Amino acid sequence: MNGPGAPVLVAGGTGFVGSRLVAALVEQGHDVRVMTRHPDRYDGPGTAVRGDVSDPATLDGPLDGCTAAYYLVHSLGRTDFETRDARAAEAFGTRAARAGLEQLVYLGGLGKDGDDLSAHLRSRREVESLLGAGGVPVTVLRAGIVVGHGGISWEITRQLVEHLPAMVTPRWVRTRTQPIAVADVVRYLVGVLGRPDAAGRVFEIGGPDVLEYAEMLERVAAVEGRRLPIVPVPLLTPGLSSRWLALVTDVDVRAGRNLVDSMVNEVVVTDTSVRDVVPFEPMTYDDAVRMALMERAAAR
């Protein structure tokens, strides 16, 4: 799989995770195509190619000659994101099969299939299956909150801590999650590329710490030398939570609402088999927070 010199396509290569993945793949010597609707504006590593997952006719060129592709696309900021993402994934999977690809890699979301999953997490599951509808083996990495400068979930966490002297919070602050540093997500994404033992499999990825959302907020405050009293309020619904987020953060309201809806679902790793394929020790939550804060400081 993914023979020497064969191009690798990254759909979503200009995003939070994708831009870091592209840089890592190029550093390892891969010929990387970065699919974007505006290749003339791209000035990062790899080769920019024009393609739009909402326009299937534009996908054949970017996929031609590739043996593998990463799919890191979502429409979380749209009201009809479920429909959009389903259509896009099916088209991409079908065109990838037509182009003869041997592997697709997708970053999905943690959460037990038996749970009453949020619309966001249900959509992620649907995309997993639709990507493989054409017959190309899909390697799925399911993650919870990804910690790194520029990530929506991380920005919600950081801004809540930095903008509020104390927090009146909804019940979901007691939901357990298993955050992971964006650098470790990229390491897993790179590690499964071209691995026959990763083809057609679903892996769960997370850092070493299982934390309630409240603990995550408190630990960010501690790293920054702040104190953050937290007072849970049972009647603060997801709808009110999203409006509250809009008041105290600059995160996109629709994307924030879709993420808040998912915060009632526990997202914890129950299967560690990915470590047999890509063996390493992910960094702790506190270290991931420090790295995210350093990245932000450097960007400013």
Side-chain angles (χ1 to χ4, degrees):
M1 296 177 70
N2 196 47
V8 178
L9 179 67
V10 181
T14 60
F16 164 55
V17 175
S19 58
R20 291 167 166 83
L21 173 63
V22 168
L25 289 170
V26 169
E27 189 175 327
Q28 287 207 355
H30 291 283
D31 176 7
V32 182
R33 295 178 184 173
V34 183
M35 195 173 84
T36 169
R37 287 174 294 180
H38 306 287
D40 53 315
R41 301 180 194 172
Y42 184 75
D43 61 357
T47 303
V49 292
R50 185 182 180 281
D52 183 350
V53 294
S54 65
D55 183 359
T58 68
L59 300 177
D60 294 334
L63 288 163
D64 184 44
C66 294
T67 53
Y70 289 89
Y71 192 81
L72 305 175
V73 179
H74 66 75
S75 309
L76 208 53
R78 304 279 193 142
T79 52
D80 60 344
F81 73 92
E82 292 170 275
T83 302
R84 283 176 172 269
D85 284 349
R87 287 175 181 164
E90 186 171 22
F92 194 88
T94 301
R95 298 280 173 154
R98 187 182 300 175
L101 268 70
E102 299 173 10
Q103 183 186 27
L104 294 176
V105 183
Y106 174 62
L107 181 61
L110 279 173
K112 296 176 184 175
D113 288 333
D115 286 355
D116 182 15
L117 295 178
S118 67
H120 166 225
L121 292 176
R122 287 198 307 272
S123 175
R124 292 293 178 104
R125 292 291 194 277
E126 185 179 28
V127 168
E128 289 179 13
S129 61
L130 290 173
L131 279 174
V136 180
V138 181
T139 302
V140 178
L141 297 177
R142 292 178 178 171
I145 286 183
V146 179
V147 182
H149 175 58
I152 297 176
S153 297
W154 162 248
E155 279 304 304
I156 290 174
T157 305
R158 181 190 66 77
Q159 291 185 39
L160 287 177
V161 170
E162 294 183 358
H163 294 174
L164 297 175
M167 282 184 59
V168 177
T169 58
R171 282 177 296 183
W172 51 252
V173 296
R174 295 304 174 195
T175 303
R176 295 196 313 158
T177 184
Q178 194 162 348
I180 182 171
V182 66
D184 290 335
V185 172
V186 169
R187 196 167 173 183
Y188 280 124
L189 286 167
V190 173
V192 298
L193 179 64
R195 291 288 299 261
D197 53 351
R201 294 180 66 184
V202 175
F203 297 108
E204 299 180 345
I205 60 174
D209 302 296
V210 176
L211 303 166
E212 294 178 350
Y213 285 108
E215 292 177 292
M216 292 173 56
L217 293 163
E218 288 165 345
R219 286 171 73 160
V220 172
V223 168
E224 292 193 325
R226 303 168 185 266
R227 184 171 174 274
L228 186 69
I230 292 178
V231 183
V233 176
L235 297 179
L236 199 52
T237 64
L240 288 172
S241 293
S242 60
R243 293 187 182 92
W244 168 68
L245 285 178
L247 289 173
V248 295
T249 76
D250 61 12
V251 171
D252 177 81
V253 175
R254 286 199 185 100
R257 171 61 196 267
N258 289 326
L259 288 172
V260 164
D261 286 346
S262 299
M263 288 176 176
V264 298
N265 294 120
E266 182 170 284
V267 284
V268 174
V269 172
T270 58
D271 177 0
T272 59
S273 58
V274 71
R275 294 194 171 205
D276 297 328
V277 181
V278 190
F280 73 94
E281 289 299 321
M283 72 178 73
T284 66
Y285 179 67
D286 288 2
D287 285 343
V289 167
R290 292 186 186 99
M291 182 170 287
L293 293 172
M294 285 191 294
E295 283 183 345
R296 181 170 184 267
R300 296 177 74 188

